[in-house]
Short mmCIF file of all heavy atoms in Angstrom, two decimals:
data_model
loop_
_atom_site.label_atom_id
_atom_site.label_comp_id
_atom_site.label_asym_id
_atom_site.label_seq_id
_atom_site.Cartn_x
_atom_site.Cartn_y
_atom_site.Cartn_z
N ALA A 522 97.11 111.84 81.97
CA ALA A 522 96.31 112.58 80.96
C ALA A 522 96.98 113.94 80.77
O ALA A 522 97.12 114.40 79.60
CB ALA A 522 94.94 112.69 81.41
N ALA A 523 97.21 114.58 81.91
CA ALA A 523 97.89 115.98 81.69
C ALA A 523 99.21 115.93 81.11
O ALA A 523 99.49 116.81 80.30
CB ALA A 523 97.88 116.63 83.10
N GLY A 524 99.98 114.90 81.43
CA GLY A 524 101.30 114.79 80.81
C GLY A 524 101.29 114.69 79.30
O GLY A 524 102.22 115.22 78.63
N GLY A 525 100.27 114.02 78.73
CA GLY A 525 100.13 113.93 77.28
C GLY A 525 99.95 115.22 76.65
O GLY A 525 100.40 115.49 75.50
N THR A 526 99.12 116.09 77.33
CA THR A 526 98.89 117.38 76.69
C THR A 526 100.09 118.32 76.70
O THR A 526 100.17 119.23 75.98
CB THR A 526 97.78 118.12 77.48
OG1 THR A 526 98.23 118.43 78.88
CG2 THR A 526 96.52 117.32 77.56
N LEU A 527 101.16 117.95 77.45
CA LEU A 527 102.42 118.77 77.48
C LEU A 527 103.35 118.30 76.42
O LEU A 527 104.48 119.05 76.26
CB LEU A 527 102.98 118.74 78.88
CG LEU A 527 102.14 119.24 80.02
CD1 LEU A 527 102.92 119.04 81.35
CD2 LEU A 527 101.79 120.70 79.88
N ILE A 528 103.15 117.12 75.79
CA ILE A 528 104.12 116.66 74.76
C ILE A 528 103.92 117.45 73.52
O ILE A 528 102.82 117.45 72.97
CB ILE A 528 103.91 115.20 74.60
CG1 ILE A 528 104.16 114.40 75.84
CG2 ILE A 528 104.83 114.68 73.48
CD1 ILE A 528 103.87 112.84 75.81
N PRO A 529 104.88 118.03 72.96
CA PRO A 529 104.71 118.83 71.64
C PRO A 529 104.54 117.80 70.53
O PRO A 529 105.17 116.79 70.45
CB PRO A 529 106.11 119.63 71.48
CG PRO A 529 107.08 118.72 72.32
CD PRO A 529 106.30 118.16 73.45
N THR A 530 103.67 118.19 69.65
CA THR A 530 103.43 117.42 68.40
C THR A 530 103.52 118.42 67.18
O THR A 530 102.51 119.09 66.76
CB THR A 530 101.98 116.88 68.39
OG1 THR A 530 100.93 117.85 68.76
CG2 THR A 530 101.86 115.75 69.45
N PRO A 531 104.80 118.66 66.71
CA PRO A 531 104.91 119.65 65.63
C PRO A 531 104.27 119.38 64.41
O PRO A 531 104.10 118.19 64.00
CB PRO A 531 106.49 119.54 65.44
CG PRO A 531 106.87 118.15 65.95
CD PRO A 531 105.98 117.86 67.06
N ALA A 532 103.83 120.34 63.75
CA ALA A 532 102.96 120.29 62.53
C ALA A 532 103.56 121.09 61.41
O ALA A 532 103.11 121.07 60.34
CB ALA A 532 101.52 120.70 62.77
N SER A 533 104.83 121.68 61.63
CA SER A 533 105.37 122.44 60.58
C SER A 533 106.44 121.69 59.72
O SER A 533 106.80 120.57 60.12
CB SER A 533 106.22 123.65 61.19
OG SER A 533 107.22 123.10 62.01
N GLY A 534 106.62 122.19 58.55
CA GLY A 534 107.56 121.50 57.59
C GLY A 534 107.42 122.14 56.24
O GLY A 534 106.73 123.13 56.13
N ARG A 535 108.36 121.64 55.32
CA ARG A 535 108.28 122.29 54.07
C ARG A 535 107.01 122.04 53.40
O ARG A 535 106.53 120.94 53.16
CB ARG A 535 109.44 121.61 53.09
CG ARG A 535 109.53 122.07 51.72
CD ARG A 535 110.88 121.72 51.15
NE ARG A 535 110.98 120.20 51.12
CZ ARG A 535 110.64 119.49 50.11
NH1 ARG A 535 110.06 120.04 48.94
NH2 ARG A 535 110.77 118.12 49.98
N PRO A 536 106.29 123.06 52.96
CA PRO A 536 104.99 122.88 52.32
C PRO A 536 105.01 122.21 50.92
O PRO A 536 105.77 122.51 50.05
CB PRO A 536 104.47 124.29 52.25
CG PRO A 536 105.64 125.25 52.12
CD PRO A 536 106.63 124.52 52.92
N VAL A 537 104.17 121.31 50.73
CA VAL A 537 103.97 120.56 49.56
C VAL A 537 102.48 120.43 49.29
O VAL A 537 101.63 120.05 50.07
CB VAL A 537 104.69 119.15 49.56
CG1 VAL A 537 104.33 118.34 48.33
CG2 VAL A 537 106.11 119.18 49.84
N THR A 538 102.13 120.75 48.05
CA THR A 538 100.69 120.54 47.66
C THR A 538 100.40 119.32 47.06
O THR A 538 101.14 118.71 46.18
CB THR A 538 100.27 121.73 46.61
OG1 THR A 538 100.53 122.92 47.08
CG2 THR A 538 98.81 121.62 46.28
N VAL A 539 99.45 118.62 47.65
CA VAL A 539 99.18 117.13 47.33
C VAL A 539 97.72 117.05 46.88
O VAL A 539 96.86 117.91 47.30
CB VAL A 539 99.47 116.25 48.54
CG1 VAL A 539 100.95 116.34 49.02
CG2 VAL A 539 98.46 116.43 49.68
N ALA A 540 97.44 115.91 46.22
CA ALA A 540 96.01 115.56 45.85
C ALA A 540 95.78 114.10 46.09
O ALA A 540 96.61 113.33 45.85
CB ALA A 540 95.84 115.92 44.32
N VAL A 541 94.66 113.85 46.63
CA VAL A 541 94.23 112.41 46.85
C VAL A 541 92.94 112.21 46.07
O VAL A 541 92.03 112.92 46.16
CB VAL A 541 94.01 112.09 48.40
CG1 VAL A 541 93.39 110.76 48.51
CG2 VAL A 541 95.22 112.30 49.21
N VAL A 542 92.98 111.11 45.13
CA VAL A 542 91.94 110.86 44.28
C VAL A 542 91.12 109.61 44.89
O VAL A 542 91.74 108.54 45.06
CB VAL A 542 92.40 110.60 42.92
CG1 VAL A 542 91.21 110.05 42.05
CG2 VAL A 542 92.96 111.89 42.30
N GLN A 543 89.85 109.82 45.04
CA GLN A 543 88.91 108.71 45.30
C GLN A 543 87.89 108.52 44.18
O GLN A 543 86.95 109.28 44.02
CB GLN A 543 88.24 108.88 46.66
CG GLN A 543 87.21 107.84 47.03
CD GLN A 543 86.61 108.19 48.40
OE1 GLN A 543 87.16 108.27 49.36
NE2 GLN A 543 85.15 108.31 48.38
N GLY A 544 88.05 107.53 43.41
CA GLY A 544 87.29 107.35 42.11
C GLY A 544 85.92 106.70 42.33
O GLY A 544 85.08 106.93 41.59
N ASN A 545 85.80 105.91 43.39
CA ASN A 545 84.67 105.09 43.82
C ASN A 545 84.49 103.85 42.91
O ASN A 545 85.34 103.69 41.93
CB ASN A 545 83.36 105.98 43.61
CG ASN A 545 82.18 105.45 44.42
OD1 ASN A 545 82.40 104.57 45.36
ND2 ASN A 545 81.03 105.94 44.21
N VAL A 546 83.61 103.05 43.41
CA VAL A 546 83.42 101.69 42.61
C VAL A 546 82.00 101.57 42.28
O VAL A 546 81.12 102.26 42.77
CB VAL A 546 83.77 100.55 43.66
CG1 VAL A 546 85.20 100.67 44.03
CG2 VAL A 546 82.87 100.51 44.85
N PRO A 547 81.70 100.74 41.32
CA PRO A 547 80.30 100.62 40.83
C PRO A 547 79.33 100.13 41.81
O PRO A 547 78.12 100.56 41.89
CB PRO A 547 80.47 99.65 39.59
CG PRO A 547 81.75 99.64 39.30
CD PRO A 547 82.63 99.87 40.55
N ARG A 548 79.74 99.27 42.77
CA ARG A 548 78.91 98.75 43.79
C ARG A 548 79.68 98.35 44.96
O ARG A 548 80.84 98.12 44.95
CB ARG A 548 78.12 97.57 43.34
CG ARG A 548 78.89 96.34 42.90
CD ARG A 548 78.09 95.15 42.40
NE ARG A 548 77.31 95.47 41.18
CZ ARG A 548 77.97 95.10 40.03
NH1 ARG A 548 79.07 94.53 39.96
NH2 ARG A 548 77.35 95.42 38.90
N LEU A 549 79.02 98.24 46.14
CA LEU A 549 79.58 97.82 47.39
C LEU A 549 79.52 96.27 47.48
O LEU A 549 78.73 95.63 46.94
CB LEU A 549 78.82 98.50 48.43
CG LEU A 549 78.30 97.77 49.80
CD1 LEU A 549 79.24 97.93 50.84
CD2 LEU A 549 76.98 98.25 50.07
N GLY A 550 80.59 95.75 48.13
CA GLY A 550 80.60 94.21 48.34
C GLY A 550 81.73 93.50 47.68
O GLY A 550 82.51 94.22 46.99
N LEU A 551 81.68 92.22 47.77
CA LEU A 551 82.76 91.42 47.23
C LEU A 551 82.83 91.47 45.73
O LEU A 551 83.85 91.26 45.14
CB LEU A 551 82.66 90.01 47.75
CG LEU A 551 83.03 89.64 49.08
CD1 LEU A 551 82.62 88.23 49.47
CD2 LEU A 551 84.51 89.80 49.32
N ASP A 552 81.71 91.65 44.97
CA ASP A 552 81.70 91.50 43.56
C ASP A 552 82.05 92.87 42.87
O ASP A 552 81.87 92.95 41.59
CB ASP A 552 80.35 91.03 43.08
CG ASP A 552 79.16 91.97 43.38
OD1 ASP A 552 79.41 92.92 44.24
OD2 ASP A 552 78.11 91.92 42.77
N TYR A 553 82.56 93.89 43.55
CA TYR A 553 82.81 95.17 42.90
C TYR A 553 83.93 94.91 41.85
O TYR A 553 84.05 95.68 40.88
CB TYR A 553 83.29 96.17 43.88
CG TYR A 553 84.73 95.99 44.36
CD1 TYR A 553 85.72 96.65 43.77
CD2 TYR A 553 85.00 95.09 45.40
CE1 TYR A 553 87.05 96.51 44.24
CE2 TYR A 553 86.31 94.92 45.79
CZ TYR A 553 87.34 95.62 45.17
OH TYR A 553 88.60 95.32 45.60
N LEU A 554 84.77 93.91 42.09
CA LEU A 554 85.89 93.70 41.08
C LEU A 554 85.36 93.16 39.78
O LEU A 554 86.10 93.14 38.81
CB LEU A 554 86.92 92.73 41.78
CG LEU A 554 87.75 93.27 42.88
CD1 LEU A 554 88.58 92.08 43.50
CD2 LEU A 554 88.59 94.38 42.39
N GLY A 555 84.12 92.74 39.70
CA GLY A 555 83.54 92.30 38.47
C GLY A 555 83.55 93.36 37.40
O GLY A 555 83.43 93.11 36.22
N GLN A 556 83.71 94.66 37.82
CA GLN A 556 83.70 95.72 36.88
C GLN A 556 85.00 96.50 37.03
O GLN A 556 85.08 97.74 37.35
CB GLN A 556 82.53 96.71 37.01
CG GLN A 556 81.16 95.98 36.78
CD GLN A 556 80.08 96.95 36.72
OE1 GLN A 556 80.21 98.19 36.44
NE2 GLN A 556 78.82 96.46 36.92
N ARG A 557 86.12 95.85 36.72
CA ARG A 557 87.51 96.37 36.93
C ARG A 557 87.61 97.55 36.02
O ARG A 557 88.29 98.62 36.37
CB ARG A 557 88.52 95.30 36.62
CG ARG A 557 88.44 94.27 37.61
CD ARG A 557 89.48 93.15 37.32
NE ARG A 557 89.28 92.53 36.08
CZ ARG A 557 90.16 91.77 35.40
NH1 ARG A 557 91.35 91.45 35.99
NH2 ARG A 557 89.95 91.23 34.28
N GLN A 558 87.18 97.56 34.79
CA GLN A 558 87.26 98.64 33.90
C GLN A 558 86.62 99.81 34.48
O GLN A 558 87.19 100.99 34.34
CB GLN A 558 86.86 98.22 32.44
CG GLN A 558 87.06 99.25 31.41
CD GLN A 558 88.55 99.45 31.08
OE1 GLN A 558 89.22 98.48 30.71
NE2 GLN A 558 89.14 100.57 31.32
N ALA A 559 85.44 99.60 35.07
CA ALA A 559 84.66 100.91 35.50
C ALA A 559 85.49 101.54 36.66
O ALA A 559 85.48 102.67 36.83
CB ALA A 559 83.31 100.38 35.91
N VAL A 560 86.09 100.69 37.55
CA VAL A 560 86.81 101.24 38.64
C VAL A 560 87.97 102.05 38.11
O VAL A 560 88.23 103.25 38.61
CB VAL A 560 87.37 100.11 39.61
CG1 VAL A 560 88.24 100.68 40.71
CG2 VAL A 560 86.19 99.38 40.19
N LEU A 561 88.76 101.54 37.21
CA LEU A 561 89.91 102.26 36.54
C LEU A 561 89.28 103.67 35.90
O LEU A 561 89.86 104.68 36.13
CB LEU A 561 90.56 101.38 35.59
CG LEU A 561 91.64 102.14 34.76
CD1 LEU A 561 92.71 102.84 35.62
CD2 LEU A 561 92.28 101.15 33.77
N ASN A 562 88.25 103.46 35.10
CA ASN A 562 87.74 104.59 34.50
C ASN A 562 87.22 105.76 35.42
O ASN A 562 87.50 106.90 35.13
CB ASN A 562 86.53 104.25 33.58
CG ASN A 562 86.84 103.36 32.44
OD1 ASN A 562 88.05 103.28 32.02
ND2 ASN A 562 85.88 102.79 31.79
N ASN A 563 86.78 105.29 36.62
CA ASN A 563 86.35 106.32 37.62
C ASN A 563 87.63 107.19 38.12
O ASN A 563 87.45 108.38 38.26
CB ASN A 563 85.69 105.57 38.84
CG ASN A 563 84.40 105.13 38.54
OD1 ASN A 563 83.72 105.43 37.57
ND2 ASN A 563 83.81 104.28 39.40
N HIS A 564 88.74 106.44 38.30
CA HIS A 564 89.95 107.17 38.79
C HIS A 564 90.54 108.00 37.73
O HIS A 564 91.10 109.14 37.91
CB HIS A 564 90.84 106.17 39.43
CG HIS A 564 90.42 105.64 40.76
ND1 HIS A 564 89.50 104.54 40.74
CD2 HIS A 564 90.60 106.01 42.06
CE1 HIS A 564 89.25 104.30 42.08
NE2 HIS A 564 89.88 105.16 42.86
N VAL A 565 90.53 107.51 36.51
CA VAL A 565 90.91 108.27 35.36
C VAL A 565 90.12 109.63 35.22
O VAL A 565 90.68 110.72 35.00
CB VAL A 565 90.92 107.47 34.13
CG1 VAL A 565 91.17 108.28 32.81
CG2 VAL A 565 92.01 106.36 34.16
N ARG A 566 88.75 109.39 35.29
CA ARG A 566 87.88 110.51 35.10
C ARG A 566 88.08 111.59 36.16
O ARG A 566 88.15 112.84 35.87
CB ARG A 566 86.44 110.08 35.16
CG ARG A 566 85.40 111.21 34.84
CD ARG A 566 83.99 110.73 34.99
NE ARG A 566 83.72 110.60 36.44
CZ ARG A 566 83.46 109.35 36.97
NH1 ARG A 566 83.62 108.30 36.21
NH2 ARG A 566 83.22 109.26 38.19
N VAL A 567 88.19 111.16 37.40
CA VAL A 567 88.38 112.21 38.44
C VAL A 567 89.72 112.89 38.35
O VAL A 567 89.83 114.08 38.65
CB VAL A 567 88.29 111.54 39.94
CG1 VAL A 567 88.56 112.48 41.01
CG2 VAL A 567 86.78 110.99 40.10
N THR A 568 90.74 112.28 37.86
CA THR A 568 92.04 112.88 37.66
C THR A 568 91.99 113.91 36.50
O THR A 568 92.54 115.00 36.62
CB THR A 568 93.14 111.84 37.40
OG1 THR A 568 93.12 110.89 38.47
CG2 THR A 568 94.47 112.50 37.23
N HIS A 569 91.25 113.53 35.47
CA HIS A 569 90.95 114.62 34.42
C HIS A 569 90.22 115.77 34.99
O HIS A 569 90.49 116.90 34.59
CB HIS A 569 90.25 113.98 33.29
CG HIS A 569 91.14 113.01 32.36
ND1 HIS A 569 92.20 113.56 31.72
CD2 HIS A 569 90.98 111.72 32.01
CE1 HIS A 569 92.74 112.62 30.97
NE2 HIS A 569 92.00 111.50 31.13
#
Side-chain angles (χ1 to χ4, degrees):
T526 64
L527 300 177
I528 298 174
T530 51
S533 61
R535 178 166 61 94
V537 177
T538 302
V539 302
V541 174
V542 170
Q543 175 178 303
N545 202 17
V546 299
R548 64 177 69 90
L549 128 100
L551 283 171
D552 64 343
Y553 78 94
L554 289 175
Q556 294 192 24
R557 297 178 298 169
Q558 185 67 58
V560 175
L561 173 57
N562 290 345
N563 286 349
H564 289 84
V565 167
R566 184 187 70 255
V567 174
T568 305
H569 283 301

